[in-house]
């Protein structure tokens, strides 16, 4: 307790501002686990002030132009890891193609924070409550990791390994998020339950589904803040897959999702409440997603 | 005064005097004070909830820091808040202690050339636990025989008293035959309530800068609601004559009671600076601020109240157990005021009261916007609602029939502070509010089905304007003002009274301008200190405008009398000062002094210039003023909420807030007080609490406001759906008819919200905050109990 002093960062560290990915990776290779990447700093600085992390070297990646972009291509959209949330929120492509992600970002923090915070930071911080994780998971996003020895990509789902833990290896950093275009007739939605309008989620959920005829396909449901990592509710998805989304079925899907989660009681809420509310908001989100497809006229 | 009784400034919307300073960042807060040679201090907080410790500071000293240990501070017990008379003041605090009684209690302190160096030195101090006690976090457990004693002996005034069973102090009172009244009542309701323990979350965390002076005294810049009581306490603790303790006024970033007392940080800074022989600044971080020395009083209340079929209350029992935390910040007067809040809401006719303040190993409690009033009002307004329902009478009418109003004896601030109510806008507020919200067509409890259910709740309340009265009582309350006319007719106003940021001193300036008929720009509010002002007790109890403003008005009146005497000399046609009239001339920007039916006239600037040029002397007045009443400012809230019965979430939909604050001096700022009062009350009703870890006795959130959630702009109704109405009243004892506002604005909010939730879903909650978790659990329990199926959902697709 006497070690916190949030007026200052009570730790000494070296500070670097590389201008290229290459330079950043070299620094990472040199410093290994003693280095921390600084993007918007809206998570990192809080943790440094709380002495949860005490890096010996801080590498600011916000001066690297090649990490800040939104590129729409035929197969999907590529986003640089250091792209600010505010920029994503204002992007027409994100709003049009990935409404659940757009909604999630607009609901995060405040304008001031969103002007600093990056999407890569939200993912790499790997909070079970990270708001961009569930929507990116339901859209089937992939992440690109780079190190001095090369690049690899993996599905976002495999990226989270525990609270604050990711599949990134020492010397690696996240450079890009890729989100595939969704098929015609896809609807998606995001809902968050929190204590106030500016808060981390007690529970958040994103869903996406594609309506063909009367039935739902490609059903994806991802939840946050209800398990050690953001998670897919696969049994719930399977219960809806290929079936007509009747009111009764949507409620059953919510109930199944609520059985799949592994919530805990913490300062934000109780395990019991998280279970109850998961039932409700999973069904709500599915209804909303269906409403979007119908409004969008993407179904016959 | 203005011609025809029309006011020039009072009640008129004008820009804030300090607006530009604040908007451009040039207002100086304690944190902005920097002095040559200044060191930065840090306080070592106890990690133990209750322990005896040994401090080893060798290493910190080796790092070059000035270290202050419990052995370096005066062995003096004190109560950080001076408001009761000495013989009713309980003292159990020390500046630093080797026997910390809550997590966060200051044990030692360091000062060094930078915050970083001070931090390193702080971390180098070793705390060795000699004895660790089990933390007592519940007042009922604390009073159980065999629980560790949190304090063995404390002082009351100058005498030692033993503490039994961790009971800090008690108060009992009765009037009439309650047992008979309740046995003869047609309906009786008995309920137990438990409030939350809230943090003030005032915008500015506490700061103190202390400079040791060559005369052996100190000069202090600090976050305080009272520069004089801070001066007195420093003098008492350190044995420095009061004439050598100078407490400077600086801008204050909100108070809400968090600096109603002299925060420990101030005393630690004084001690450190005296040891270092250098100025020292200590600024608490937000996290430290929360665990240092203030949260609201957590109360366990029991009310048993009866009423007759004729719609009249007949008697009530009221029990109040307060968990005051590890030290006393005046819970004793609160035992009295809690009773005062209770008896001054309604005519119970017969009452019996039992009040008890209990020590626990938690952050000490102090006043928080209402000094127990929101807590008591929540309980009373719930019980009153229930009684009305049992009797089958309209809750608004039931309240109007039983409330304490005009002509009634009022003792809001407790049994020793009584006066008669002279202005009362309650009927107007209740009737207009009911109409505006659509009270008659409101839903009835439990009648609605469907997922989203709306409800309208009503609650009323009041707060005193100060704690004055015709008798001296056991509470200190008086103010003062000094006013002088400059040689060009502008005036300097010197007051000790603090403006927390709500615009209190703007109101004073208006009052002075109004009385002297001069433009507002000509009134300069001086940044003064405790040595250049006369005593003012504190800006608390919504007394800033009512008491302080009246002191300012009296000083202005006195100055005006002297101006007229000089004017007689200049005009030399008038028979005497009584023959003169004064009016404000907008074109001249001056007060014009004239004789009715004659051309003879002069101006204030002419008078001031002449008095100077002809050696007549300065025009000034110094006033010390005690109000002989503490009139209630009444408020009435009608709140509409919507409850999502599937998630338990509740949202405020519409608010009609009525306030009777007498003549409204600052309409915009008064409205802002009401809106802010609602937002704060809303947070208390549904969000805020400071839970403790049962093992460690530490705050669960360790002070981090990431996990102390207060409402944001996104959580309250849009301003179009928030209607503020002011009653058309005039308080004869107040300056230009004014009363206070600060606390009345939030006192009934939690009650109105709780009643609205009941109206929506038919469930009452007796524990705050009413979180979605609690609502959902209660709904599910009710479903289970009635074997009812969950209500059918309506699709939103
Ligand atoms: C007031 C406030 C409100 C908030 N509200 C929300 C909210 O509603 N929802 C929510 O989800 N979050 C919220 N947050 C948390 C935070 O703002 C987000 O997680 C944000 O997206 C973090 O991004 P950043 O760029 O600031 O990350 P940083 O703090 O810079 O970094 C976070 C972590 O990721 C690592 N990192 C960053 N970029 C990379 C990279 N490219 N490669 C490898 N590692 C990297 C850093 O080393 C660090 O460990 C809030 C924070 C604050 C202060």
């Amino acid at each position: 307790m006497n070690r916190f002093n949030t007026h200052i960062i009570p730790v000494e560290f070296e500070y670097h501002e590389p201008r290229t990915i290459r330079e950043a990776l070299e620094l990472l290779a040199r410093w290994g686990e003693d280095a921390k990447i600084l993007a918007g700093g809206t998570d990192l600085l809080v943790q440094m002030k709380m002495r949860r992390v005490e890096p010996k070297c801080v590498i600011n990646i916000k001066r690297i132009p090649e990490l800040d972009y939104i590129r729409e291509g035929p197969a999907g959209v590529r986003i640089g890891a250091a792209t600010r949330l505010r920029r994503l929120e204002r992007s027409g492509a994100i709003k049009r193609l990935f409404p659940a992600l757009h909604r999630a970002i607009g609901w995060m923090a405040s304008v001031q924070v969103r002007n600093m915070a990056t999407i890569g930071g939200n993912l790499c911080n790997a909070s079970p409550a990270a708001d961009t994780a569930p929507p990116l998971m339901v859209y089937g996003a992939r992440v690109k990791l780079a190190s001095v020895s090369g690049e690899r990509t993996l599905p976002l789902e495999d990226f989270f390994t525990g609270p604050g833990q990711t599949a990134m290896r020492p010397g690696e950093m996240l450079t890009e998020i890729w989100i595939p275009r969704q098929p015609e007739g896809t609807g998606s939605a995001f809902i968050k339950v929190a204590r106030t309008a500016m808060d981390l989620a007690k529970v958040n959920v994103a869903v996406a589904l594609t309506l063909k005829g009367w039935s739902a396909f490609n059903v994806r449901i991802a939840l946050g803040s209800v398990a050690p990592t953001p998670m897919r509710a696969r049994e719930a998805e399977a219960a809806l897959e290929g079936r007509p989304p009747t009111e009764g079925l949507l409620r059953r899907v919510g109930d199944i999702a609520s059985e799949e989660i592994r919530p805990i009681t913490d300062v934000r809420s109780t395990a019991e409440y998280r279970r109850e509310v998961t039932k409700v908001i999973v069904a709500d989100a599915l209804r909303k997603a269906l409403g979007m497809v119908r409004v969008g006229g993407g179904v016959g | 005064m203005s011609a025809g009784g029309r006011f020039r400034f009072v009640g008129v919307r004008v820009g804030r005097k300090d607006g530009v300073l604040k908007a451009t960042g040039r207002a100086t807060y304690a944190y902005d004070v920097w002095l040559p040679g200044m060191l930065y201090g840090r306080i070592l907080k106890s990690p133990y909830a209750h322990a005896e410790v040994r401090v080893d500071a060798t290493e910190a000293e080796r790092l070059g820091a000035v270290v202050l240990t419990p052995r370096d501070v005066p062995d003096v017990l004190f109560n950080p808040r001076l408001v009761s008379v000495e013989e009713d003041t309980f003292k159990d605090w020390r500046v630093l202690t080797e026997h910390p009684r809550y997590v966060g209690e200051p044990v030692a302190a360091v000062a060094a050339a930078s915050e970083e160096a001070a931090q390193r030195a702080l971390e180098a101090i070793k705390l060795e636990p000699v004895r660790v006690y089990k933390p007592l976090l519940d007042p009922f457990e604390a009073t159980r025989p065999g629980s560790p004693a949190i304090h063995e002996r404390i002082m009351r005034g100058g005498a030692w008293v033993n503490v039994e069973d961790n009971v800090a102090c008690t108060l009992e009172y009765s009037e009439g035959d309650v047992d008979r009244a309740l046995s003869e009542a047609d309906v009786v309701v008995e309920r137990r309530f438990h409030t939350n323990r809230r943090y003030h979350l005032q915008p500015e965390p506490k700061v103190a800068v202390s400079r040791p002076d060559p005369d052996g005294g100190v000069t202090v810049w600090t976050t305080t609601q009272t520069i004089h009581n801070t001066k007195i306490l420093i003098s008492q603790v350190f044995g420095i004559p009061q004439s050598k303790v100078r407490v400077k006024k600086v801008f204050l970033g909100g108070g809400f009671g968090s600096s109603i007392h002299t925060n420990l940080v101030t005393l630690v800074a004084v001690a450190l600076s005296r040891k270092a022989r250098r100025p020292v600044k200590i600024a608490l971080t937000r996290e430290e601020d929360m665990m240092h020395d203030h949260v609201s009083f957590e109360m366990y209340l029991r009310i048993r109240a009866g009423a007759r079929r004729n719609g009249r209350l007949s008697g009530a029992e009221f029990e109040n157990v307060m968990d005051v935390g590890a030290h006393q910040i005046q819970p004793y007067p609160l035992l009295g005021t809690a009773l005062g809040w209770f008896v001054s809401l309604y005519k119970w006719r017969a009452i019996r009261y039992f009040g008890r303040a209990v020590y626990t190993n938690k952050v000490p409690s102090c006043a928080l916007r209402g000094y127990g009033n929101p807590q008591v009002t929540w309980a009373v307004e719930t019980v009153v609602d229930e009684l009305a329902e049992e009797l089958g009478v309209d809750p608004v009418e039931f309240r109007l029939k039983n409330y304490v109003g005009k002509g009634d004896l009022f003792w809001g601030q407790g049994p020793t502070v009584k006066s008669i109510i002279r202005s009362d806008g309650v009927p107007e507020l209740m009737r207009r509010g009911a109409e505006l919200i659509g009270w008659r067509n409101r839903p009835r409890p439990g009648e609605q089905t469907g997922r989203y259910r709306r409800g309208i709740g009503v609650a009323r309340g009041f707060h005193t304007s100060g704690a004055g009265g015709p008798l001296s009582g056991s509470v200190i309350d008086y103010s003062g003002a000094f006013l002088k006319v400059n040689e060009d007719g502008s005036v300097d106003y010197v007051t000790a009274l603090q403006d927390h940021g709500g615009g209190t001193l703007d109101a004073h300036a208006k009052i002075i301008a109004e009385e002297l008929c001069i433009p507002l720009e000509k009134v300069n509010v001086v940044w003064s200190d405790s040595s250049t002002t006369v005593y003012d007790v504190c800006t608390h109890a919504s007394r800033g405008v009512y008491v302080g403003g009246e002191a300012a008005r009296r000083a202005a009146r006195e100055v005006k009398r002297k101006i007229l005497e000089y004017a007689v000399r200049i005009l030399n046609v008038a028979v005497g000062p009584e023959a003169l009239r004064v009016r404000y001339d907008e074109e001249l920007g001056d007060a014009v002094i004239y004789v009715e039916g004659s051309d003879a006239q002069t101006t204030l600037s002419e008078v001031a210039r002449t008095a100077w040029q002809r050696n007549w002397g300065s025009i000034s007045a110094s006033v010390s003023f005690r109000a002989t009443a503490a009139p209630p400012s009444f408020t009435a809230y009608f709140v509409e909420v919507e409850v999502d019965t599937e998630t338990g979430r509740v949202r405020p939909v519409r608010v009609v807030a009525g306030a009777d604050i007498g003549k409204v001096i600052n309409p915009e700022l008064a409205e802002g007080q009401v809106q802010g009062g609602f937002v704060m009350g809303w947070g208390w009703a549904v969000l805020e609490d400071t839970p403790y870890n049962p093992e460690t006795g530490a705050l669960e959130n360790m002070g981090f406001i990431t996990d102390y959630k207060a409402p944001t702009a996104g959580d309250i109704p849009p301003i179009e759906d928030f209607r503020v109405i002011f009653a058309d009243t005039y308080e004869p004892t107040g300056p230009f008819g004014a009363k206070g506002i600060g606390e009345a604005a939030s006192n009934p909010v939690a009650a109105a919200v709780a009643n609205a939730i009941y109206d929506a879903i038919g469930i009452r909650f007796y524990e705050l905050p009413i979180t979605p978790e609690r609502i959902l659990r209660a709904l599910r329990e009710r479903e289970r109990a009635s074997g009812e199926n969950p209500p059918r959902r309506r699709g939103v697709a």
Side-chain angles (χ1 to χ4, degrees):
Chain A
M1 171 176 50
N2 288 300
R3 284 159 47 83
F4 308 152
N5 180 346
T6 52
H7 286 153
I8 56 176
I9 296 173
V11 212
E12 276 186 29
F13 55 88
E14 235 182 70
Y15 177 76
H16 296 276
E17 277 182 6
R19 300 296 152 128
T20 61
I21 294 178
R22 187 79 219 161
E23 273 178 61
L25 293 177
E26 274 162 12
L27 282 163
L28 267 181
R30 175 139 41 91
W31 285 87
E33 305 225 350
D34 287 338
K36 269 281 172 193
I37 286 179
L38 171 77
T42 62
D43 278 318
L44 183 68
L45 292 195
V46 178
Q47 289 157 7
M48 285 173 73
K49 286 177 167 187
M50 289 176 80
R51 311 283 282 266
R52 269 204 224 131
V53 291
E54 302 194 334
K56 297 211 169 67
C57 170
V58 170
I59 305 166
N60 181 355
I61 57 164
K62 270 227 177 139
R63 300 285 154 91
I64 303 178
E66 33 172 346
L67 282 176
D68 179 13
Y69 56 86
I70 304 170
R71 277 183 213 128
E72 189 179 345
V77 171
R78 297 182 182 280
I79 302 169
T83 306
R84 289 164 179 80
L85 295 176
R86 188 71 174 155
R87 184 165 169 202
L88 289 161
E89 188 184 350
R90 292 181 155 185
S91 146
I94 301 295
K95 186 167 181 190
R96 188 165 28 86
L97 299 173
F98 311 114
L101 177 63
H102 186 260
R103 181 77 185 103
I105 291 173
W107 207 325
M108 282 171 76
S110 61
V111 174
Q112 294 93 322
V113 173
R114 296 199 294 275
N115 267 325
M116 294 164 51
T118 65
I119 187 165
N122 191 236
L123 297 177
C124 294
N125 190 55
S127 156
D131 280 323
T132 63
L136 287 171
M137 279 163 72
V138 299
Y139 292 131
R142 295 180 70 85
V143 288
K144 189 191 276 179
L145 307 177
S147 71
V148 278
S149 43
E151 285 181 352
R152 59 180 178 130
T153 72
L154 68 163
L156 180 63
E157 279 176 55
D158 300 339
F159 181 68
F160 302 112
T161 54
Q165 308 286 310
T166 69
M168 271 188 299
R169 300 180 191 129
E172 268 186 333
M173 71 182 248
L174 173 67
T175 53
E176 185 181 89
I177 297 118
W178 176 76
I179 323 175
R181 263 179 205 279
Q182 306 296 299
E184 272 298 290
T186 299
S188 58
F190 173 85
I191 292 180
K192 164 167 156 181
V193 174
R195 290 165 298 187
T196 64
M198 192 174 91
D199 192 14
L200 291 177
K202 290 177 180 179
V203 185
N204 57 16
V205 60
V207 302
L209 49 78
T210 309
L211 213 51
K212 284 185 201 143
W214 295 109
S215 300
F217 294 91
N218 236 335
V219 178
R220 281 142 300 160
I221 301 171
L223 290 140
S225 216
V226 289
T229 63
M231 61 167 278
R232 289 272 296 272
R234 293 194 188 270
E235 287 170 34
E237 292 171 357
L240 184 55
E241 186 68 30
R243 299 203 174 84
T246 60
E247 183 54 32
L249 181 55
L250 294 188
R251 264 190 280 141
R252 204 155 67 238
V253 171
D255 292 347
I256 296 169
S258 160
E259 291 300 310
E260 276 182 85
I261 60 175
R262 285 177 288 146
I264 55 163
T265 293
D266 62 11
V267 277
R268 292 205 294 280
S269 190
T270 61
E272 175 203 355
Y273 183 77
R274 287 181 158 115
R275 277 204 197 279
E276 283 297 311
V277 100
T278 294
K279 291 182 197 165
V280 181
I281 63 170
V282 165
D284 281 348
L286 289 168
R287 280 187 210 108
K288 234 171 114 184
L290 285 164
M292 286 185 78
V293 194
R294 288 177 185 140
V295 170
V299 251
Chain B
M1 191 166 322
S2 335
R6 219 164 43 85
F7 292 117
R8 290 282 171 181
F9 306 106
V10 164
V12 176
R13 285 169 198 258
V14 294
R16 284 188 71 145
K17 280 182 94 69
D18 58 12
V20 172
L21 277 183
K22 285 187 174 171
T24 55
R26 278 178 297 167
T28 305
Y29 292 82
Y31 190 79
D32 300 315
V33 172
W34 180 90
L35 301 171
M38 188 174 83
L39 303 179
Y40 294 81
R42 294 280 298 150
I43 298 175
L44 187 81
K45 301 171 287 293
S46 167
Y48 306 102
H50 190 186
E52 282 156 45
V53 297
R54 225 187 331 261
V55 181
D56 176 1
T58 340
E59 186 58 23
E61 272 168 346
R62 211 187 47 77
L63 289 172
V66 179
V67 181
L68 195 73
T69 70
R71 271 150 289 158
D72 296 316
V73 298
D75 185 20
V76 172
L77 280 184
F78 59 90
N79 186 315
R81 183 175 181 199
L82 299 173
V83 72
S84 294
V85 293
E86 172 72 8
E87 60 272 24
D88 280 344
T89 298
F90 291 76
K91 304 169 181 176
D92 62 21
W93 288 82
R94 284 189 164 79
V95 180
L96 296 173
T97 180
E98 286 186 314
H99 185 164
R101 293 165 169 95
Y102 64 94
V103 173
E105 179 151 19
V107 172
V110 297
S114 67
E115 180 110 19
E116 286 78 5
Q119 179 64 30
R120 271 194 291 277
L122 188 80
E123 289 175 25
I125 296 180
K126 288 190 195 69
L127 263 198
E128 197 192 309
V130 180
R131 216 176 144 183
V132 178
Y133 302 90
K134 177 173 155 342
L136 293 171
L137 303 172
D138 174 286
F140 300 100
E141 190 192 333
T143 44
R144 215 169 285 149
S147 287
I150 296 174
H151 295 271
E152 309 248 321
R153 288 199 317 163
I154 60 173
M155 292 183 91
R156 179 175 183 159
W160 285 104
V161 289
N162 290 329
V163 178
E164 310 286 345
D165 301 329
N166 290 317
V167 174
C169 45
T170 59
L171 185 74
E172 288 176 30
Y173 188 89
S174 74
E175 236 177 66
D177 187 345
V178 178
D179 295 320
R180 211 177 116 201
L182 288 178
S183 67
E184 287 172 11
D186 295 310
V187 295
V188 173
V189 167
E190 178 170 8
R191 296 285 177 256
R192 284 169 194 281
F193 300 84
H194 178 203
T195 75
N196 34 3
R197 191 177 191 87
R198 301 156 346 225
Y199 167 58
H200 296 72
L201 202 59
Q202 79 288 357
E204 184 187 12
K206 290 176 295 270
V207 181
V209 179
S210 170
R211 182 187 68 199
D213 290 327
D215 63 0
V218 285
T219 304
V220 171
W221 296 257
T222 188
T223 40
T224 180
Q225 298 175 211
T226 159
I227 57 173
H228 281 280
N229 285 349
T230 298
K231 165 197 76 179
I232 296 171
L233 193 73
I234 291 172
S235 158
Q236 289 179 349
V237 170
F238 294 94
I240 310 171
Q242 290 184 22
S243 58
K244 291 186 179 177
V245 180
R246 286 151 289 255
V247 181
K248 298 272 189 186
K249 264 176 102 168
V250 275
F251 275 98
L252 184 62
F256 309 121
S258 63
S259 294
I260 207 164
H261 51 299
T262 301
N263 298 113
L264 231 49
V265 60
T266 312
L267 300 174
V268 175
V270 169
L272 257 180
S273 72
R274 281 162 66 84
K275 181 160 185 196
R277 295 164 179 267
R278 300 261 294 269
V280 171
K281 175 194 275 186
I282 309 180
L284 296 187
T285 62
R286 174 60 70 189
E287 298 70 45
E288 292 170 327
D289 196 84
M290 195 185 299
M291 56 179 112
H292 236 262
D293 54 5
H294 58 82
V295 289
S296 72
F297 285 95
E298 179 179 359
M299 294 179 167
Y300 295 80
L301 305 172
R302 183 180 68 84
I303 294 176
R304 188 160 161 253
R308 310 291 298 254
R309 283 266 161 256
N310 64 9
R312 296 212 182 273
L313 292 166
S314 54
E317 256 183 331
F318 178 38
E319 190 182 297
N320 167 21
V321 176
M322 312 195 298
D323 173 349
V324 304
H327 291 281
Q328 300 201 31
I329 309 175
Q330 299 288 19
Y332 181 67
L334 176 54
L335 290 174
T337 41
L339 170 62
W341 312 138
F342 185 79
V343 300
S344 301
L345 273 166
Y346 293 101
K347 292 175 195 152
W348 303 104
R349 295 187 171 78
I351 48 159
R352 183 163 55 228
Y353 173 67
F354 169 78
R356 163 186 260 203
V358 179
Y359 285 121
T360 56
N361 295 114
K362 288 149 92 172
V363 174
S365 306
C366 72
L368 200 180
R369 200 170 188 174
Y371 198 31
N373 192 327
Q375 293 93 316
V376 173
T377 299
W378 166 56
V380 170
E381 284 295 86
T382 302
V383 166
V384 162
D385 234 40
E386 292 196 56
L387 283 170
E389 194 177 346
E390 294 261 325
L391 287 170
V393 298
D394 183 288
V396 169
E397 297 307 322
F398 185 62
R399 284 172 169 88
L400 284 174
K401 204 163 190 173
N402 288 286
Y403 82 102
V404 176
K406 195 166 185 163
D408 294 329
L409 185 66
F410 171 76
W411 42 293
Q413 287 279 352
T416 73
V417 190
K418 295 182 179 169
S419 55
I420 303 285
I421 298 177
R422 296 180 179 84
S423 61
D424 169 9
V426 175
E428 181 188 343
L429 296 178
M430 295 292 278
R431 299 245 147 83
R432 274 181 68 200
E435 203 177 296
L436 286 167
I437 200 89
W439 176 249
R440 261 178 230 300
N441 304 322
R442 76 190 182 283
R444 295 305 140 115
E447 267 185 6
Q448 295 175 75
T449 54
R451 174 167 173 181
Y452 297 97
R453 300 183 197 172
R454 291 207 171 178
I456 294 179
V458 64
R460 53 165 294 272
F462 69 88
H463 207 81
T464 61
S465 310
L471 303 176
S472 173
S474 61
V475 178
I476 294 164
D477 190 308
Y478 66 96
S479 191
F482 172 68
L483 196 64
K484 82 171 203 289
V485 180
N486 288 314
E487 291 58 50
D488 63 353
S490 62
V491 303
D492 287 322
Y493 170 54
V494 188
T495 174
L497 196 127
Q498 278 282 37
D499 187 333
H500 299 181
T504 313
L505 295 181
D506 272 24
H508 289 197
K510 278 179 155 182
I511 288 168
I512 292 165
E514 192 74 53
E515 187 70 46
L516 295 179
C517 302
I518 56 171
L520 203 49
E521 304 81 68
K522 285 197 177 175
V523 183
N524 171 41
V525 181
V526 178
W527 283 96
S528 49
D529 62 41
S530 57
S531 59
T532 54
T533 51
V534 295
Y535 184 82
D536 172 73
V537 65
C538 185
T539 304
H540 63 198
S542 306
R543 66 189 284 284
V545 166
Y546 176 76
V547 184
E550 178 62 13
R553 196 183 71 88
R554 286 179 182 224
R557 213 167 49 187
E558 180 67 15
V559 158
K560 190 163 154 188
R561 198 180 53 75
K562 293 180 183 168
I563 293 168
L564 295 185
E565 275 169 18
Y566 284 171
V568 170
R569 290 208 223 173
I570 293 176
L571 293 174
N572 74 42
V573 292
V575 292
E578 316 76 55
L580 299 179
R581 297 247 172 285
V582 188
R583 71 180 159 79
Y584 172 56
D585 189 308
E586 205 164 341
E587 244 161 73
L588 291 178
D590 208 343
V592 172
I593 302 160
Y594 64 101
V595 186
E596 258 172 355
S598 138
D599 290 344
Q601 68 171 48
T602 181
T603 60
L604 172 56
S605 14
E606 187 53 31
V607 171
R609 209 182 66 85
T610 311
W612 167 46
Q613 290 292 313
R614 299 198 193 153
N615 291 299
W616 293 350
S618 283
I619 303 169
S620 71
S622 169
V623 162
S624 180
F625 169 66
R626 154 78 175 185
T628 53
S633 295
F634 294 107
T635 44
Y637 271 89
F638 291 84
V639 177
E640 180 175 11
V641 300
E642 182 180 86
V643 181
D644 177 345
T645 55
E646 298 199 1
T647 62
R649 286 200 288 174
V650 43
R651 150 181 103 79
V653 179
R654 271 187 316 144
V655 179
V656 177
D660 162 20
I661 62 171
K663 175 75 199 165
V664 184
I665 303 226
N666 258 333
E668 256 163 337
L669 297 183
E671 207 168 297
Q673 286 289 314
V674 176
Q675 285 152 347
F678 175 79
V679 177
M680 224 163 167
W682 175 260
W684 301 343
V686 304
L687 271 175
E688 296 171 41
D689 204 1
T690 53
Y692 282 76
N693 182 305
E695 256 81 75
T696 61
L699 281 173
E700 287 282 15
N701 72 355
M702 290 310 277
F704 285 90
I705 52 170
T706 2
D707 289 316
Y708 185 87
K709 285 291 169 187
T712 70
D715 297 296
I716 55 162
I719 212 81
E720 310 84 81
D721 295 325
F722 195 115
R723 191 65 196 275
V724 179
I725 53 173
F726 290 110
D728 185 16
T729 54
Y730 187 91
E731 169 56 40
T733 65
F736 296 110
K739 301 189 272 191
I741 175 66
E743 291 148 295
S746 55
N747 287 342
V749 174
V753 171
N755 288 339
I757 292 174
Y758 170 69
D759 192 42
I761 59 172
I763 298 176
R764 290 212 181 262
F765 292 85
Y766 301 101
E767 186 158 17
L768 293 179
I770 310 172
T771 57
E773 283 78 0
R774 285 186 173 146
I775 292 178
L776 197 61
R777 195 180 311 139
L779 285 164
R780 292 283 182 269
E781 271 164 19
R782 183 174 66 181
E783 277 160 23
R784 271 194 290 276
S786 65
E788 178 193 319
N789 287 323
R792 305 225 46 94
R793 277 181 203 142
R794 298 215 186 111
V796 291

